[in-house]
Amino acid sequence: MKALLPLLFALTAAASTAAPYEITMDSLKAHEMVLAHDSLEGRRVGEPGEWKAAQYIIGVFERAGLQPKGDNGSWLQGFEFVKSIEYGDSNRVVVNGTPLELNDGFVPMKQSANAAFDFAEIVPVGYGITVDTSEGQYDDYAGKNVAGKAVVIKRYAPGDEVNPHIDFDKYASLMSKINAAIEHDAAGIFFVTPEGHDDTLAEMGITHITPKEIPIVFLRREALAKIGVSLTEPQIARIEGVVELEKVRDTGHNVVGYLPGQVDSTIIIGAHYDHLGYGGPGSGSRYVGPEKLVHNGADDNGSGTSVLLELARQFGSQLNELRHSLLFAAFSGEEFGILGSGHYAKNMTVDSSKVRMMINMDMVGRLAEQDSGLAVLGTGTTEAFTAYFDSLKRDDVKIVQKKAGQGPSDHTAFYNRNIPVLMFFTGPHNDYHKPEDDLEKIDYAGLVTVADVVADVITHFDGYNGALAFVKTADPSEGKQRAQFKVTLGIMPDYVAEVKGVKVDNVVPERPAEKAGILAGDIVVKMGAIEIGDIYDYMGALGSFKKGDTCVVRVLRGEVPVEVTVVF
């Protein structure tokens, strides 16, 4: 493909504005041609492609007449994040006197402590599952003393022939098994894969992992077979070694531009510009062989970023007509837990008390494919939004209102700061988080329509004289949670905070957490008997409860432990 830099210069030069400015299919496509270009390598946060995309966005903002509003008068606001967890040089595992090779024979798990170990007592505990509910009873630890010893646990779950009344899959996650072993005071955990199952270990996201206090290692089936170890009754007499994991940190960048208005308040317009790079955790595709395929993210979220850039150009040409200031924010790190917007919402470069509302655009490039039309989330976060969209009449697009202000995108970070939010979305599709999300599938005519709808919203609320009083809304994930779990606690986790436990960013009205007295800012550290070290522990704990259950939840409120009783 052609080199990127000439294209960057040509398109950035074309970004010069002249009133009146009109958003067109060609102007939107010009941005997509850069953002979804192969040479940006999927715009993964912290990678060179993210930096190239940021430089392009800066060029458009600058030529649109925006002022830099990042850190220290620059266009960029940096935020630190955990980029990866890498293996140190000291990792080794020796089974029955035979060393195994890293990756081919063993894999230190990301939840593991950094520790040297030498176990002469290794206890096989089947699938490592304990169930004592109305569904039935089952206990892989029955009659086994594992305190201070290593356990060997099979991955996956037993079949229905063991007990057809128990849904074993609900207890089969690696985190559930790790927590069960720790509850039985195991001093080390080794996972193995039973025959008939895939012996690979799916890569997991690492941003929110809190290591346990014991070594946790995956042993590959073929490597064990070569040294004569059975997986049905693991014949491990001794296992020794070292786990050494290192957190690698990097910096991502939000790009922030500003158009000053006539009054002392701000409307934030945002979209995330990062994507998945070459895939990995979060990708909807799995590949065979060494080739990696770039995930260009033309819809997710080249589309929203392109609209953001065109709105900056449009309103930059109308600067003297603005009452409220407009802040245009291209966020990074959304794909790994709204990292950039979460950082900005807590470290705003404008007066946070005078932010009037926030508009987010995420995946707005497939309007023609969506029979249901254009979804607008957050219309219940202030009464004025509901009134506006209830009265909106458009012949060119069907608007579908969604009241809830929470959701898996950047607007949630601002909703959690009690700011009214709107989020525009043209709906899911089969190319989500896959290499197939590319330029030729974008509906550019629909993208013009979305830009026009959002521009009308900005213009209306720029001239709206009434107050925009924030309203908390019901939890939109309740239905999804109930499909995966039988209960929901009703909290919005803080995905940016690096704490042991799960920090509560917001509490959903009328859900168990609020009724029990859990507050925003609390850190959930224990649910019943289950210690909560990170979000994976939290999800595993939820899966063990059903409606009507009562659970004592321990939180840290500041540095003070507080126990509350939750009724699911």
Side-chain angles (χ1 to χ4, degrees):
M1 300 191 78
K2 294 180 180 179
L4 178 64
L5 284 178
L7 182 61
L8 280 173
F9 285 120
L11 291 171
T12 306
S16 300
T17 60
Y21 184 78
E22 180 184 359
I23 297 174
T24 67
M25 293 170 58
D26 286 343
S27 64
L28 287 160
K29 188 173 183 177
H31 299 309
E32 282 275 20
M33 288 173 63
V34 174
L35 296 169
H37 195 277
D38 280 355
S39 44
L40 265 67
E41 300 179 284
R43 310 184 306 275
R44 191 180 184 96
V45 60
E47 295 296 328
E50 180 220 33
W51 182 257
K52 292 178 184 178
Q55 298 308 304
Y56 176 73
I57 293 167
I58 289 171
V60 176
F61 279 178
E62 188 170 26
R63 286 163 178 78
L66 275 62
Q67 300 175 4
K69 206 67 173 177
D71 293 331
N72 302 316
S74 73
W75 293 100
L76 298 174
Q77 183 192 50
F79 58 90
E80 189 179 82
F81 69 101
V82 178
K83 183 175 183 178
S84 62
I85 298 178
E86 303 292 345
Y87 302 136
D89 295 334
S90 300
N91 285 287
R92 65 182 182 88
V93 169
V94 180
V95 176
N96 294 350
T98 301
L100 304 182
E101 292 292 327
L102 180 63
N103 291 318
D104 290 338
F106 74 96
V107 178
M109 296 184 65
K110 303 294 175 68
Q111 301 91 340
S112 178
N114 283 336
F117 55 88
D118 188 350
F119 295 110
E121 293 188 77
I122 301 94
V123 182
V125 292
Y127 290 93
I129 293 174
T130 298
V131 181
D132 185 7
T133 69
S134 58
E135 294 178 314
Q137 286 75 41
Y138 176 89
D139 189 1
D140 278 320
Y141 287 89
K144 299 174 182 177
N145 177 17
V146 304
K149 305 171 186 176
V151 294
V152 176
I153 303 174
K154 297 179 186 178
R155 298 168 63 203
Y156 304 101
D160 291 342
E161 69 279 359
V162 175
N163 188 325
H165 303 294
I166 298 177
D167 181 8
F168 284 107
D169 288 339
K170 189 168 65 175
Y171 307 96
S173 73
L174 294 176
M175 285 310 307
S176 293
K177 295 181 178 186
I178 288 170
N179 286 328
I182 291 173
E183 288 170 26
H184 286 84
D185 295 324
I189 301 172
F190 297 90
F191 283 102
V192 295
T193 306
E195 293 289 345
H197 290 279
D198 185 358
D199 196 32
T200 58
L201 192 65
E203 189 177 356
M204 66 186 300
I206 48 78
T207 305
H208 312 297
I209 292 176
T210 298
K212 303 301 180 183
E213 296 180 354
I214 61 174
I216 306 172
V217 178
F218 169 53
L219 305 176
R220 294 196 182 277
R221 182 173 58 217
E222 184 176 342
L224 293 178
K226 286 180 179 178
I227 60 174
V229 174
S230 166
L231 295 180
T232 54
E233 289 295 334
Q235 302 156 343
I236 300 176
R238 184 175 181 179
I239 184 166
E240 59 181 305
V242 175
V243 172
E244 183 183 41
L245 300 172
E246 300 173 351
K247 283 188 176 182
V248 178
R249 298 181 180 273
D250 205 341
T251 300
H253 296 92
N254 299 323
V255 186
V256 191
Y258 183 71
L259 290 174
Q262 301 168 22
V263 296
D264 191 17
S265 56
T266 304
I267 296 172
I268 296 176
I269 305 105
H272 78 89
Y273 72 96
D274 68 303
H275 197 50
L276 297 179
Y278 287 96
S283 173
S285 297
R286 295 290 182 267
Y287 305 108
V288 177
E291 182 183 8
K292 294 182 178 180
L293 300 181
V294 63
H295 290 51
N296 281 320
D299 188 30
D300 186 14
N301 185 32
S303 62
T305 306
S306 296
V307 174
L308 178 77
L309 296 177
E310 285 300 280
L311 290 172
R313 294 172 72 176
Q314 182 179 58
F315 284 97
S317 71
Q318 304 170 11
L319 179 59
N320 295 332
E321 302 172 24
L322 294 175
R323 290 184 67 247
H324 301 281
S325 298
L326 302 183
L327 184 134
F328 293 86
F331 299 115
S332 190
E334 188 272 352
E335 298 289 5
F336 299 93
I338 62 171
L339 301 179
S341 58
H343 179 80
Y344 187 84
K346 295 176 182 177
N347 302 274
M348 293 195 197
T349 56
V350 294
D351 186 341
S352 60
S353 69
K354 296 179 180 178
V355 172
R356 189 165 171 79
M357 57 186 282
M358 189 271 176
I359 295 172
N360 182 35
M361 297 162 291
D362 194 350
M363 293 179 63
V364 291
R366 300 286 189 99
L367 185 60
E369 299 177 17
Q370 305 301 327
D371 294 335
S372 57
L374 174 62
V376 185
L377 290 70
T379 60
T381 59
T382 187
E383 292 181 2
F385 288 168
T386 303
Y388 174 81
F389 284 100
D390 281 349
S391 63
L392 183 63
K393 305 295 181 186
R394 295 187 68 110
D395 295 329
D396 56 343
V397 63
K398 176 183 177 182
I399 301 290
V400 180
Q401 291 191 58
K402 306 287 185 180
K403 301 288 187 182
Q406 309 103 308
S409 190
D410 294 306
H411 60 290
T412 296
F414 297 88
Y415 173 87
N416 289 343
R417 307 274 83 75
N418 296 336
I419 294 171
V421 297
L422 292 171
M423 189 325 223
F424 292 84
F425 176 52
T426 56
H429 49 75
N430 290 333
D431 297 328
Y432 173 69
H433 280 191
K434 295 179 182 177
E436 290 78 13
D437 179 11
D438 226 328
L439 284 169
E440 65 274 7
K441 297 185 179 180
I442 296 298
D443 170 21
Y444 293 102
L447 209 53
V448 172
T449 301
V450 172
D452 189 56
V453 171
V454 178
D456 285 350
V457 170
I458 295 170
T459 300
H460 174 82
F461 285 101
D462 181 56
Y464 181 77
N465 291 321
L468 298 181
F470 175 75
V471 177
K472 278 195 171 186
T473 58
D475 183 359
S477 66
E478 179 179 346
K480 182 178 179 181
Q481 280 192 329
R482 288 186 183 277
Q484 183 178 3
F485 309 116
K486 293 184 178 180
V487 299
T488 175
L489 185 58
I491 65 170
M492 293 296 296
D494 183 336
Y495 291 107
V496 179
E498 289 191 41
V499 297
K500 184 175 182 179
V502 172
K503 188 173 184 180
V504 179
D505 207 13
N506 208 349
V507 180
V508 181
E510 299 301 315
R511 303 308 307 153
E514 184 188 64
K515 293 178 180 179
I518 294 175
L519 305 176
D522 287 350
I523 300 173
V524 179
V525 294
K526 194 171 186 179
M527 296 177 66
I530 301 174
E531 301 284 345
I532 307 298
D534 54 30
I535 192 69
Y536 301 101
D537 291 337
Y538 169 70
M539 292 189 293
L542 276 184
S544 66
F545 296 106
K546 65 181 183 300
K547 189 174 181 180
D549 283 352
T550 298
C551 170
V552 175
V553 175
R554 180 182 298 166
V555 302
L556 292 179
R557 188 164 294 163
E559 297 182 358
V560 179
V562 176
E563 290 191 345
V564 299
T565 300
V566 169
V567 180
F568 290 107

